Amino acid sequence: SQKIEQNSEALNIQEGKTATLTCNYTNYSPAYLQWYRQDPGRGPVFLLLIRENEKEKRKERLKVTFDTTLKQSLFHITASQPADSATYLCALVFYGGSQGNLIFGKGTKLSVKP
Amino acid sequence: SQTIHQWPATLVQPVGSPLSLECTVEGTSNPNLYWYRQAAGRGLQLLFYSVGIGQISSEVPQNLSASRPQDRQFILSSKKLLLSDSGFYLCAWSFHRGTEAFFGQGTRLTVV
């Protein structure tokens, strides 16, 4: 079965630095990969989607890369701010298998210290 | 614009009692609908999805069931709750399977 691993449960960085979160998967390559932000007690909020034939996608201070050879996606937040503190989830969509449903990783809790 | 409503926000239920969580979507037609559960320290687990009225698919066999009586209404039910049913339940919708999902605010269920 497919496994999705996000590099660490928690990541602490200083304000102004770049936060880099990792999402690794096993077996088959996904059709697309998505990143979500989740605040405590709230539902996840969609941030970015990247397709299997795309290497990189940007949105404001966010950047996502997708390396199907390494079976890995990196999620970067540049010039991080305390307001960026949240749990970030990666989610994959595979052809076949779960027939196009989102499969989520456990998330990485990011804390940005002032 | 589209909105999703999920209620209640919190719920405390005794073991063996029934459950009904409701989710409605406004501003779109024929959405794909999903129920997820998020247990402490675990990722989001897909429980059910629906591509249309009366069409329910279960991802994980368990004590729960789902129904879609109307196009934009999705209900999660249980006849008898177990302690292990405690968790954070999230309803979501998307335009198409696999595209970005829009989540409700969630229901924190505690079974005691």
Side-chain angles (χ1 to χ4, degrees):
Chain A
S1 63
Q2 292 285 358
K3 285 188 178 179
I4 302 167
E5 294 181 354
Q6 295 192 239
N7 59 329
S8 58
E9 288 188 11
L11 179 65
N12 300 311
I13 64 167
Q14 204 67 30
E15 182 177 8
K17 302 293 186 182
T18 296
T20 299
L21 285 66
T22 305
C23 179
N24 295 294
Y25 60 92
T26 60
N27 299 336
Y28 310 111
S29 284
Y32 353 97
L33 190 149
Q34 303 180 23
W35 284 89
Y36 289 77
R37 169 183 172 140
Q38 186 175 23
D39 291 288
R42 309 291 292 271
V45 175
F46 171 80
L47 297 174
L48 282 168
L49 178 153
I50 187 165
R51 294 178 170 76
E52 62 177 336
N53 61 349
E54 297 176 318
K55 297 293 184 185
E56 182 178 299
K57 188 73 76 73
R58 292 175 183 262
K59 179 183 177 181
E60 298 173 352
R61 295 185 294 112
L62 309 180
K63 184 177 84 171
V64 173
T65 62
F66 193 7
D67 189 325
T68 55
T69 301
L70 293 178
K71 297 188 176 182
Q72 180 181 82
S73 173
L74 298 179
F75 177 78
H76 306 273
I77 305 175
T78 58
S80 61
Q81 305 165 2
D84 295 326
S85 299
T87 295
Y88 291 86
L89 308 171
C90 74
L92 281 65
V93 178
F94 297 93
Y95 293 119
S98 297
Q99 300 178 44
N101 291 320
L102 284 171
I103 302 174
F104 283 85
K106 293 182 180 181
T108 296
K109 184 176 181 180
L110 174 67
S111 295
V112 181
K113 305 297 182 184
Chain B
S1 64
Q2 300 88 14
T3 56
I4 179 169
H5 302 280
Q6 183 182 345
W7 66 92
T10 60
L11 192 59
V12 180
Q13 291 284 98
V15 169
S17 64
L19 173 74
S20 180
L21 302 180
E22 188 164 343
C23 171
T24 60
V25 178
E26 297 178 354
T28 187
S29 297
N30 198 31
N32 290 290
L33 296 172
Y34 311 87
W35 278 110
Y36 285 88
R37 177 170 59 200
Q38 190 173 36
R42 301 182 66 179
L44 281 165
Q45 180 186 34
L46 179 63
L47 303 175
F48 300 95
Y49 66 91
S50 172
V51 298
I53 296 175
Q55 300 179 60
I56 309 295
S57 295
S58 173
E59 285 291 298
V60 182
Q62 58 213 310
N63 185 41
L64 302 168
S65 62
S67 62
R68 184 171 177 173
Q70 300 181 42
D71 181 44
R72 291 168 287 177
Q73 183 184 29
F74 206 23
I75 298 172
L76 183 70
S77 304
S78 174
K79 292 182 179 178
K80 288 185 178 181
L81 284 168
L82 306 172
L83 286 174
S84 58
D85 291 324
S86 294
F88 190 46
Y89 288 82
L90 288 154
C91 180
W93 74 273
S94 66
F95 285 108
H96 305 289
R97 298 267 299 285
T99 58
E100 63 183 278
F102 302 91
F103 285 83
Q105 290 303 296
T107 296
R108 175 74 59 191
L109 172 66
T110 304
V111 182
V112 295

Short mmCIF file of all heavy atoms in Angstrom, two decimals, chain B residues 44 78-79:
data_model
loop_
_atom_site.label_atom_id
_atom_site.label_comp_id
_atom_site.label_asym_id
_atom_site.label_seq_id
_atom_site.Cartn_x
_atom_site.Cartn_y
_atom_site.Cartn_z
N LEU B 44 -5.07 12.45 8.52
CA LEU B 44 -6.46 12.42 8.08
C LEU B 44 -6.75 11.09 7.40
O LEU B 44 -6.08 10.72 6.44
CB LEU B 44 -6.72 13.55 7.09
CG LEU B 44 -6.93 14.94 7.67
CD1 LEU B 44 -6.80 15.99 6.59
CD2 LEU B 44 -8.29 15.01 8.33
N SER B 78 -23.82 6.56 13.07
CA SER B 78 -23.47 5.31 13.74
C SER B 78 -24.66 4.88 14.58
O SER B 78 -25.35 5.72 15.16
CB SER B 78 -22.24 5.48 14.63
OG SER B 78 -22.01 4.30 15.38
N LYS B 79 -24.91 3.59 14.64
CA LYS B 79 -26.01 3.11 15.47
C LYS B 79 -25.57 2.99 16.93
O LYS B 79 -26.34 3.23 17.86
CB LYS B 79 -26.49 1.76 14.96
CG LYS B 79 -27.17 1.83 13.60
CD LYS B 79 -27.67 0.46 13.17
CE LYS B 79 -28.38 0.55 11.82
NZ LYS B 79 -28.84 -0.78 11.34
#
